[in-house]
Amino acid sequence: MTLLILGIESSCDETGVALVETRAQGQVPALLSHALHSQIEMHQAYGGVVPELASRDHIRRVLPLASQVLAESGKSLADVDVVAYTRGPGLAGALLVGAGVACALGAALGKPVLGVHHLEGHLLSPFLSADPPEFPFVALLVSGGHTQLMRVDGVGRYEILGETIDDAAGEAFDKSAKLMGLGYPGGPALSKLAEQGDATAFKLPRPLLHSGNLDFSFAGLKTAVLTQAKKLGDELEPRKADLAASTEAAIVEVLVKKTLAALKQTGMKRVVVAGGVGANRHLRNQLNEACAKKNVRVHYPELHLCTDNGAMIAMAAAMRLESGQQQASTEYAFDVKPRWPLDSIAPTVA
């Protein structure tokens, strides 16, 4: 029996809605349609996400996006079998909007609902691509606030191999960009500027590169960028592209070498890269090149699905339901989990 799943994502500054349909046993669920609204323009004036504004904007966007997705797929609300939503982690107020709308829809339709872990959505998003992975694999999860290496043996079967002890890679991109006066969102702006620069111009640290474990630390790199920017003084403007390229090279080298170490430690020959930083062109090129030499397959989400989106939430819900890891519920009381470690997910089958 196929299931039509409506997914709602509202954890931070993107409102995403999507429809995913399960297929015959052994086949990957299919994305029928998705729609996304980014709040970047609204938050730019403040140099970062304003939680209250984010929550209010989600309220305005979520139902029109749901109507758009249903119209594009030729489906109606009555066709929906399960309503999935991001339960956490994320901004509490933003999460409450998606959870509230999902549970209200479920109650009105008499259909079950399912709360999804945001990072699990990212982790499983490559299954939406034209080249979906197969279990097991090593996963490099690099989103705005998270950098983790995980062993993934199946849906809900995750073991953290290493994670950041301070700033995540995405934060290192954004904070370094802010120090250079590149505005918000900083990461993409820094990467674009880096294309014009010399990655060897400045010798920046590669924190924990030789630590002997798989943990990350990027706070020291951010401090080194600040020190270098101050040292340049009036020369910063003409050397900004070089500093951006050197910063990006430092972050990417750490991510690539730690990922290779995780592959060696686990003996696996497949790696999945997910999260917003996974769209970085330099990271993709370096990792592809390094993995090709070791006969390792690399899988990514489609570029337009690297950021937060409803498709990954609907897909994660579909895969949890298919694997028997979770059942949707007609209990419409809900809570959200702004902080929620991914490896704490356990089967919740009744």
Side-chain angles (χ1 to χ4, degrees):
M1 184 185 76
T2 63
L3 292 175
L4 186 65
I5 298 164
L6 180 70
I8 298 173
E9 155 61 22
S10 68
S11 64
C12 189
D13 59 348
E14 275 122 358
T15 316
V17 181
L19 275 173
V20 162
E21 189 172 53
T22 60
R23 299 299 196 199
Q25 191 170 7
Q27 292 185 341
V28 177
L31 175 62
L32 302 187
S33 60
H34 81 102
L36 184 69
H37 174 77
S38 172
Q39 301 175 359
I40 284 175
E41 195 173 317
M42 180 178 70
H43 295 297
Q44 275 177 334
Y46 305 95
V49 178
V50 181
E52 178 64 21
L53 293 180
S55 303
R56 290 175 182 271
D57 198 62
H58 287 309
I59 294 170
R60 286 192 291 268
R61 308 291 179 180
V62 65
L63 290 178
L65 288 173
S67 297
Q68 179 183 334
V69 162
L70 289 164
E72 287 176 357
S73 64
K75 303 291 185 180
S76 70
L77 273 177
D79 296 322
V80 173
D81 295 302
V82 178
V83 184
Y85 62 93
T86 304
R87 189 181 176 197
L91 301 174
L95 290 167
L96 285 168
V97 174
V101 169
C103 291
L105 277 175
L109 297 169
K111 299 293 176 67
V113 297
L114 191 151
V116 172
H117 196 293
H118 176 80
L119 296 181
E120 185 173 40
H122 277 303
L123 187 67
L124 299 177
S125 61
F127 284 92
L128 291 159
S129 73
D131 180 30
E134 295 176 3
F135 297 113
F137 53 79
V138 166
L140 173 64
L141 195 58
V142 275
S143 63
H146 299 84
T147 300
Q148 296 175 329
L149 278 165
M150 308 195 75
R151 178 188 175 112
V152 179
D153 289 302
V155 178
R157 297 164 61 196
Y158 313 129
E159 177 192 351
I160 292 181
L161 304 173
E163 59 188 333
T164 186
I165 59 176
D166 43 53
D167 286 354
E171 290 173 309
F173 271 110
D174 290 339
K175 291 178 180 179
S176 296
K178 194 169 185 178
L179 293 172
M180 296 179 211
L182 298 182
Y184 170 86
L190 186 147
S191 294
K192 188 175 181 180
L193 182 61
E195 292 177 8
Q196 307 165 29
D198 176 6
T200 64
F202 299 102
K203 191 173 182 180
L204 296 174
R206 273 67 168 161
L208 298 188
L209 188 60
H210 305 291
S211 63
N213 60 33
L214 298 175
D215 288 333
F216 300 90
S217 169
F218 291 106
L221 174 61
K222 174 198 65 183
T223 303
V225 172
L226 174 61
T227 302
Q228 188 62 62
K230 286 181 175 178
K231 191 182 295 182
L232 286 168
D234 293 339
E235 285 295 305
L236 174 59
E237 197 59 38
R239 302 294 307 280
K240 198 177 281 188
D242 289 342
L243 185 56
S246 299
T247 303
E248 181 180 61
I251 296 170
V252 166
E253 183 179 346
V254 172
L255 293 175
V256 170
K257 290 195 173 175
K258 291 277 185 175
T259 301
L260 293 177
L263 287 164
K264 184 178 180 180
Q265 179 177 308
T266 59
M268 291 190 182
K269 289 293 184 179
R270 192 181 299 273
V271 62
V272 159
V273 182
V277 180
N280 183 276
R281 186 176 62 85
H282 189 50
L283 172 61
R284 289 192 176 211
N285 290 343
Q286 292 287 317
L287 193 59
N288 287 344
E289 186 179 326
C291 286
K293 292 176 182 176
K294 298 183 179 297
N295 198 29
V296 170
R297 289 288 308 279
V298 190
H299 299 265
Y300 305 92
E302 303 293 347
L303 279 172
H304 68 285
L305 295 177
C306 284
T307 58
D308 298 346
N309 62 85
M312 69 183 195
I313 300 305
M315 174 60 87
M319 293 182 73
R320 286 189 75 77
L321 290 167
E322 283 189 324
S323 67
Q325 285 285 320
Q326 196 167 352
Q327 289 180 350
S329 169
T330 52
E331 172 58 60
Y332 301 117
F334 62 88
D335 65 352
V336 295
K337 294 191 170 188
R339 295 185 180 277
W340 191 11
L342 180 54
D343 61 342
S344 71
I345 293 180
T348 56
V349 178

